[in-house]
């Protein structure tokens, strides 16, 4: 059993919740590349264990351990903390689809808020009080356009966003109640792209809710066309504008966050974005250029809970840590397309070898 003591040294063993997912799997590679020991917990509700052989292939090692569990199962989670001397936690595990959250609010609050409170209980019981939390720009909601800094008010417009906002409130209260906690909330704008190796990428179960996997599937002929949700938003071309950030830039910020956790106690909040907005049609055009494919689309109605524009003012994190994203939209499209080409069946299939021309399957996917 771990000793119940606070650990102020730089973390070396990091527990990654949701480490089989899109951002979590890239974070595992980033941490392994920088000498961390990595312990993963994931219930595979939106992923699968196949990803870890790919993580190991990229990083050249995987010395940690992987546990299949739901973080709301406090007994199972506690057993992991008993077995490993965890220094800090990267907390990615959550449900993340805006549309689904409007239909299944209880599921979202239960998984996202209940998952976070269960984790906080178990961490405190084991004297681990260092946490990096995956928040979201969706907490800003209908902010009316223009780059948003961290002081912008929370105006969430859907249950997913409200669940993240509630988690932030819980974390602020926890830090107020016990000054031994050190928590970094990273509000991501829109992580996208894939690992440049083509071995890791975004491969959600079911119909993707995010733009990049939809574009990749249409470009590959797995889906007939892209559905653009709303062309009547108050934006230059009428389609929604978001600030896309390469997933590798995103996880580099997490590794720096771990290094900087001990800078100050309490809660700190940073936006992670590029400060550059792109409309759905601009991203579609960029993906068409990267893939050399025409990407058919249709205009559908606005999705419940969506907003016109979310763009980051990410000045605070760059001033604090010197973190700047270095990859642009063309890089995200190139890497997401490479992942699609090398993994026509997603992460569950055997990756094709880079550089070998393959014939893509045709026809819509489910
Ligand atoms: N991808 C984005 O556009 C985006 C934007 C803003 C914030 N975020 C946040 O970043 C985090 C990671 O997102 P992602 O894109 O990698 O999502 P993802 O669905 O690919 O990864 C989440 C992982 O958590 C696991 N999981 C879910 N509930 C769990 C539970 N109760 N117990 C254990 N494991 C559980 C899933 O199986 C999955 O592997 C999430 O918290 C998400 O809300 C993502």
């Amino acid at each position: 059993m771990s000793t119940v003591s606070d650990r102020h040294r730089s973390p070396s063993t990091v527990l990654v919740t949701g480490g089989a997912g899109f951002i979590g799997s890239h974070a595992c590679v980033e941490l392994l590349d920088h000498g961390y020991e990595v312990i993963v917990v994931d219930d595979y509700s939106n992923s699968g264990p196949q990803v870890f052989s790919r993580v190991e292939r990229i990083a050249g090692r995987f010395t940690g351990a992987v546990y299949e569990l739901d973080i709301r199962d406090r007994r199972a989670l506690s057993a992991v903390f008993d077995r490993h001397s965890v220094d800090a936690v990267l907390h990615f595990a959550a449900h993340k689809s805006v549309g689904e959250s409007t239909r299944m609010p209880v599921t979202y609050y239960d998984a996202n808020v209940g998952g976070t409170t269960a984790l906080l209980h178990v961490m405190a019981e084991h004297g681990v009080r260092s946490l990096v939390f995956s928040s979201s720009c969706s907490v800003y909601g209908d902010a009316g356009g223009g780059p948003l800094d961290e002081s912008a008010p929370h105006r969430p417009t859907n249950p997913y966003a409200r669940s993240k906002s509630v988690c932030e409130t819980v974390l602020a209260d926890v830090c107020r109640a016990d000054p031994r906690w050190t928590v970094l909330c990273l509000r991501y704008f829109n992580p996208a792209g894939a690992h440049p190796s083509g071995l890791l990428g975004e491969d959600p179960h079911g119909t993707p809710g995010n733009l990049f996997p939809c574009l990749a599937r249409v470009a590959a002929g797995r889906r007939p066309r892209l559905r653009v949700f709303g062309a009547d938003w108050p934006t230059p071309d009428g389609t929604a504008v978001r600030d896309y950030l390469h997933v590798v830039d995103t996880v580099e910020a997490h590794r720096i966050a771990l290094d900087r956790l001990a800078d100050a106690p309490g809660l700190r909040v940073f936006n992670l974005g590029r400060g550059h907005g792109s409309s759905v049609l601009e991203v579609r055009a960029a993906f068409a250029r990267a893939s050399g494919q025409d990407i058919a689309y249709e205009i559908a109605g606005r999705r419940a809970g969506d907003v016109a524009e979310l763009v980051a003012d990410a000045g605070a994190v760059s001033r604090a840590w010197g973190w700047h994203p270095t990859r642009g939209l063309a890089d995200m499209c190139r890497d997401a397309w490479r992942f699609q080409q090398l993994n026509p069946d997603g992460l569950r299939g055997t990756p094709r070898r880079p550089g070998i021309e393959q014939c893509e399957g045709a026809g819509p996917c489910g």
Side-chain angles (χ1 to χ4, degrees):
M1 177 132 178
S2 339
T3 53
V4 180
S5 65
D6 294 303
R7 301 184 174 91
H8 292 297
R9 63 198 162 87
S10 279
S12 60
T13 300
V14 177
L15 183 121
V16 181
T17 76
F22 170 47
I23 306 172
S25 58
H26 287 79
C28 290
V29 169
E30 177 71 13
L31 297 190
L32 290 163
D33 277 350
H34 287 82
Y36 289 89
E37 299 306 306
V38 174
I39 315 295
V40 173
V41 296
D42 201 299
D43 67 356
Y44 304 136
S45 52
N46 197 32
S47 57
Q50 309 81 359
V51 76
F52 296 112
S53 57
R54 293 161 178 255
V55 167
E56 185 167 6
R57 243 173 95 182
I58 299 169
R61 69 184 184 103
F62 193 86
T63 50
V66 177
Y67 297 90
E68 179 178 358
L69 60 84
D70 185 322
I71 54 168
R72 288 166 293 184
D73 181 345
R74 282 168 59 179
R75 187 192 293 249
L77 188 57
S78 193
V80 175
F81 279 81
D82 286 344
R83 212 161 298 143
H84 301 276
S85 180
V86 174
D87 297 307
V89 175
L90 294 187
H91 177 30
F92 295 104
H95 293 337
K96 66 167 180 180
S97 161
V98 166
E100 191 178 59
S101 79
T102 63
R103 298 187 295 277
M104 303 165 63
V106 177
T107 302
Y108 270 68
Y109 286 114
D110 193 21
N112 295 2
V113 181
T116 299
T117 54
L119 174 68
L120 293 170
H121 271 297
V122 175
M123 287 177 67
E125 281 161 15
H126 290 81
V128 182
R129 294 186 178 83
S130 300
L131 175 71
V132 181
F133 174 69
S134 298
S135 191
S136 162
C137 63
S138 64
V139 300
Y140 298 121
D142 207 354
L148 297 163
D149 70 22
E150 292 80 357
S151 67
H154 285 209
R155 291 200 186 99
T157 58
N158 57 72
Y160 165 71
R162 271 188 287 276
S163 76
K164 291 289 178 183
S165 180
V166 171
C167 287
E168 286 201 13
T169 304
V170 171
L171 292 168
D173 285 340
V174 164
C175 290
R176 259 191 294 273
D178 184 342
R180 290 172 298 176
W181 279 90
T182 307
V183 178
L184 279 165
C185 275
L186 301 182
R187 292 183 186 147
Y188 320 150
F189 279 64
N190 288 74
H195 195 270
S197 64
L199 288 170
L200 296 178
E202 193 169 6
D203 181 30
H205 292 177
T207 306
N210 282 357
L211 178 58
F212 271 71
C214 291
L215 285 166
R217 289 176 194 199
V218 176
R222 289 175 64 188
R223 296 174 68 84
R225 64 189 67 81
L226 176 73
R227 299 188 77 206
V228 177
F229 296 110
D232 57 350
W233 295 103
T235 60
D237 67 17
T239 65
V241 168
R242 294 290 181 272
D243 185 345
Y244 294 93
L245 174 69
H246 200 292
V247 63
V248 175
D249 283 320
T250 310
V251 299
E252 283 175 2
H254 285 71
R255 193 242 315 145
I256 297 169
L258 286 170
D259 291 344
R260 306 300 296 262
L261 260 170
D263 282 3
L267 179 80
R268 280 166 294 158
V269 180
F270 289 118
N271 286 339
L272 294 187
R274 285 189 307 134
H276 182 83
S278 306
S279 74
V280 174
L281 292 182
E282 285 169 345
V283 180
R284 171 192 163 271
F287 207 97
R289 278 193 296 279
S291 63
Q293 308 294 315
D294 184 34
I295 298 178
Y297 70 98
E298 66 183 9
I299 303 296
R302 294 180 180 188
R303 255 187 326 199
D306 255 351
V307 298
E309 179 179 328
L310 282 167
V311 177
D313 174 340
V317 69
S318 95
R319 285 189 296 277
W321 299 342
W323 173 82
H324 299 280
T326 57
R327 298 157 183 90
L329 190 59
D331 303 309
M332 294 177 231
C333 293
R334 180 201 60 217
D335 292 338
W337 178 237
R338 182 186 297 117
F339 175 71
Q340 172 62 47
Q341 283 189 299
L342 296 179
N343 304 274
D345 303 317
L347 289 166
R348 258 146 284 168
T350 308
R352 291 176 173 173
R353 298 218 329 267
I356 297 177
E357 284 279 325
Q358 300 282 351
C359 175
E360 294 294 334
C365 69

